Amino acid sequence: MRMSRPTGRVLTLLELLQSGGTRTVAELADRLGVQGRTVRRYVDQLIDLDVPVESVRGRYGGYRLAPGYRLPPLMLGDDEALAVLLGLIAGRRAGLTTAQRTANETASAKIRRVLPRHLAGRLDTLLDALAFTDEPGTSDTAEPPDSAVLLTLADAVRHRRPVSIRYTDRADRRSERTLHPYGIVAHAGRWYVTGEDASRAEDRTFRLDRIGAARTLPGTFEPPSGPDPAERVLAAFATAEYRHQVTLRIHGTPAHLRTRLPATVATLDDPTGDRAPTAERWLRVRLHAERLDWLPPLLASLDRPFVIEGPDELRVLMAEFAERLTSYADRA
C-alpha cells in the first residue's frame, strides 16, 4: 500500500517496528512502497525523535525497536477526542468492510481507555444521544458545531433537562429559546437538535452550527412517545413551510415511491392501514415545495398511476410536460 506523505510513512514504519521482531530493509521498503535508502532515512528521523531503533547486522538483519520501548500515552484535548471518536463513528456508518469495521471498533476502544474519566463520560453521553439518518453527508458549506454546545445538549438529552439556547436563524435574527431536547441527529453533512420549543409549545428542529451557546436549566421534562429523533428531523424537512403544498394519490408500493420521494421530501399516508412495503395500493403523498417545475418529470419517472389533488398549478404543469413528451415522440 502506497502512502502519499513522508510523515505518514515514518509513522507506519514506527507501527511496523512496534509490532515486534526484526524487520529487514527489503521488507520495510516493500511495505512502505519506497527504496531501501529511503527506509534508512526514515529510521534516522525516528532516531532524531529519540525513538530507540536498533540496527541488526547479518544475513537476516534489519531494524528493530529496543526492548521495552512503547509509545507514550495518547494525549487528546476535549475537542480532539470528540473529533476522533465522531470521525470513527461516521466512518463506521459509511459502510466499511468487515476488517475495517473491526479496526474502527478497536481504535475507538483504545481511545476511550486512555481518556480521563470525566471526558469519557461526556463523550459516552453524546454517543447515546446521537442518531444518524440514512442521507450521506453532502454539505460542503456546513460549519462544525461548537463542541461545548454539542456536549451540553447531549447531557441535557440524556438527563431530560431543559436548556437555554442562543439561536440565529437563516434570516440572521437572533433569539433566546428554551428547548426540551429529544435527541441530536447527523443528517446530510449537518448536525441538528430536535425537541420542543417551550416558548411556542411546538416541536422544532435547530441546526447546531447556528446555536451560539447552550446552558442547562433547572428541572426536567418527559419526552413524548412516537417517532425517534432521526424520524422527527426527516419529518421536519418534509413538512417545512414552502410556497406550495402538494397533495397526491399514487398507486404503488411504499418502497418504490421512496426511491423518488424520500422522507426528507414527502410524507406517505396509507388510508388502508396496510404496512406491507411491497404491496401495491393507493397512497396519499404530501409535500411542500418552493417550486413545482421539478415534480412533473419526477412523477413521470415513477411510472405509476397518480391523481393530483392540488394545487391546480401542478395539473397545468403536468399537462404541458405531457404535451412536450408527445411532441418529442412524434418527431421523425
Side-chain angles (χ1 to χ4, degrees), residues 239-320:
T239 58
E241 290 300 325
Y242 291 102
R243 182 180 176 186
H244 302 283
Q245 298 184 24
V246 178
T247 306
L248 309 159
R249 281 186 294 119
I250 305 177
H251 193 267
T253 67
H256 179 59
L257 266 58
R258 281 303 186 201
T259 63
R260 297 290 188 274
L261 295 165
T264 51
V265 172
T267 59
L268 299 184
D269 180 24
D270 187 355
T272 67
D274 188 352
R275 294 183 176 273
T278 58
E280 289 197 0
R281 65 270 196 187
W282 284 99
L283 299 167
R284 178 163 278 109
V285 178
R286 293 184 173 88
L287 59 93
H288 293 200
E290 196 65 30
R291 295 163 42 222
L292 297 174
D293 55 353
W294 58 277
L295 277 170
L298 183 144
L299 292 174
S301 71
L302 287 171
D303 194 23
R304 302 303 305 154
F306 65 88
V307 176
I308 299 174
E309 296 185 345
D312 291 338
E313 183 181 348
L314 180 57
R315 293 192 184 92
V316 174
L317 291 174
M318 197 74 220
E320 293 174 348

Side-chain angles (χ1 to χ4, degrees), residues 119-189:
L119 179 56
R122 297 193 74 188
L123 292 176
D124 284 338
T125 297
L126 170 60
L127 300 182
D128 288 341
L130 180 60
F132 289 83
T133 66
D134 291 330
E135 188 76 16
T138 56
S139 178
D140 296 330
T141 60
E143 290 291 330
D146 181 84
S147 59
V149 168
L150 193 56
L151 293 172
T152 298
L153 289 173
D155 186 74
V157 169
R158 182 172 189 175
H159 296 100
R160 302 177 178 180
R161 300 284 298 276
V163 290
S164 174
I165 62 173
R166 191 168 67 242
Y167 191 71
T168 303
D169 65 16
R170 58 185 175 184
D172 207 30
R173 296 185 297 259
R174 292 175 174 81
S175 61
E176 194 88 14
R177 301 167 183 261
T178 297
L179 178 68
H180 295 169
Y182 305 151
I184 297 169
V185 179
H187 168 72

Side-chain angles (χ1 to χ4, degrees), residues 43-220:
V43 168
D44 290 339
Q45 291 181 32
L46 289 177
I47 293 173
D48 289 341
L49 294 171
D50 294 328
V51 177
V53 181
E54 296 180 343
S55 176
V56 180
R57 297 183 179 278
R59 180 179 178 183
Y60 299 103
Y63 294 103
R64 68 185 180 194
L65 287 182
Y69 176 78
R70 290 293 183 271
L71 284 174
L74 183 64
M75 301 296 291
L76 293 174
D78 290 14
D79 286 350
E80 292 171 328
L82 181 63
V84 171
L85 284 178
L86 290 181
L88 290 171
I89 292 166
R92 193 183 311 164
R93 291 280 307 187
L96 302 175
T97 66
T98 302
Q100 289 172 319
R101 184 176 293 111
T102 300
N104 183 302
E105 292 172 355
T106 57
S108 297
K110 289 178 181 178
I111 292 174
R112 289 178 187 230
R113 281 199 299 269
V114 299
L115 291 177
R117 183 175 299 177
H118 78 281
L119 179 56
R122 297 193 74 188
L123 292 176
D124 284 338
T125 297
L126 170 60
L127 300 182
D128 288 341
L130 180 60
F132 289 83
T133 66
D134 291 330
E135 188 76 16
T138 56
S139 178
D140 296 330
T141 60
E143 290 291 330
D146 181 84
S147 59
V149 168
L150 193 56
L151 293 172
T152 298
L153 289 173
D155 186 74
V157 169
R158 182 172 189 175
H159 296 100
R160 302 177 178 180
R161 300 284 298 276
V163 290
S164 174
I165 62 173
R166 191 168 67 242
Y167 191 71
T168 303
D169 65 16
R170 58 185 175 184
D172 207 30
R173 296 185 297 259
R174 292 175 174 81
S175 61
E176 194 88 14
R177 301 167 183 261
T178 297
L179 178 68
H180 295 169
Y182 305 151
I184 297 169
V185 179
H187 168 72
R190 293 191 188 277
W191 295 82
Y192 299 88
V193 59
T194 182
E196 182 190 38
D197 187 340
S199 60
R200 302 185 182 184
E202 64 182 19
D203 285 355
R204 297 290 305 277
T205 295
F206 298 100
R207 271 175 47 179
L208 258 66
D209 59 314
R210 290 178 175 166
I211 298 178
R215 175 172 52 89
T216 306
L217 299 175
T220 61

